[in-house]
C-alpha cells in the first residue's frame, strides 16, 4: 500500500468531505490507494513522470490501450508543470484527459508539493480548475516504479 498518495477529485457530491475552500473536491488521505470505493479513474488519463530535468507525459485512452508516445519536455523551459502539460499535451491533441496520474521526484505531502530538483510546485487543485481534470493523483516516482513491477511478468 502506498505510504504517500494524494488524490483530489472534483465531484459536487463529495463537497461535504471537503475543506473550507469553495472548490468541490476531496482529499483522499495517504495510504488509501488508487480507488476509494467510488470507482477508478476516468479515461482518458494523462500520465506523467516528473523529474528535476525532464518531464514525460503520455495519454492512456482507455483500459485496453497502451500509453501513447511520450511527450518529453525540459522542466527549465516551463515556469510551471501546468504550462508544461498545456504545451506538451493539451495544445497538441483534441483528446482531453479526464484524469491525471503524476509520479514526481520528491515527497508527496500536502496540497502543494514541491519537486526536489526543480522549482515546480504541484498544485492539484489548480490543475482541476485550470486544466479541466476531474481527478489528479500524485505519487512519489519510486512508489510508481514499485507498483509497475507487477507488469514486468516472469
Amino acid at each position: 500500500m502506498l505510504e504517500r498518495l494524494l488524490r483530489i477529485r472534483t465531484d459536487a457530491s463529495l463537497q461535504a468531505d471537503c475543506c473550507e475552500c469553495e472548490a468541490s473536491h476531496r482529499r483522499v488521505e495517504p495510504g488509501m490507494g488508487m480507488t476509494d470505493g467510488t470507482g477508478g479513474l476516468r479515461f482518458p488519463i494523462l500520465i506523467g513522470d516528473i523529474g528535476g530535468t525532464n518531464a514525460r507525459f503520455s495519454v492512456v485512452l482507455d483500459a485496453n490501450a497502451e500509453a501513447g508516445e511520450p511527450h518529453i519536455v525540459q522542466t527549465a523551459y516551463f515556469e510551471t508543470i501546468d504550462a508544461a502539460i498545456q504545451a506538451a499535451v493539451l495544445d497538441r491533441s483534441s483528446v482531453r484527459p479526464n484524469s491525471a496520474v503524476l509520479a514526481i521526484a520528491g515527497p508527496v505531502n500536502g496540497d502543494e508539493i514541491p519537486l526536489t530538483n526543480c522549482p515546480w510546485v504541484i498544485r492539484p487543485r489548480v490543475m482541476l480548475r485550470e486544466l479541466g481534470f476531474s481527478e489528479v493523483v500524485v505519487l512519489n516516482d519510486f512508489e510508481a516504479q514499485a507498483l509497475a513491477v507487477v507488469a514486468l511478468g516472469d
Side-chain angles (χ1 to χ4, degrees), residues 14-61:
L14 300 177
Q15 192 166 6
D17 295 333
C18 173
C19 64
E20 288 125 26
C21 79
E22 295 176 18
S24 297
H25 64 271
R26 179 172 71 175
R27 178 174 178 195
V28 177
E29 295 301 321
M32 290 187 74
M34 293 293 283
T35 62
D36 61 357
T38 61
L41 296 170
R42 292 179 47 216
F43 289 92
I45 300 172
L46 171 74
I47 57 174
D49 174 20
I50 317 302
T53 304
N54 295 303
R56 294 161 187 83
F57 301 107
S58 187
V59 175
V60 180
L61 296 175

Side-chain angles (χ1 to χ4, degrees), residues 70-122:
H71 300 281
I72 302 170
V73 299
Q74 292 185 354
T75 58
Y77 292 164
F78 297 92
E79 188 174 322
T80 66
I81 187 173
D82 302 53
I85 291 170
Q86 187 69 50
V89 179
L90 302 180
D91 289 348
R92 293 179 175 218
S93 175
S94 61
V95 174
R96 289 293 177 247
N98 285 312
S99 307
V101 177
L102 304 172
I104 66 160
V108 178
N109 291 310
D111 294 335
E112 292 196 358
I113 308 157
L115 295 180
T116 302
N117 298 314
C118 171
W120 287 357
V121 176
I122 312 297

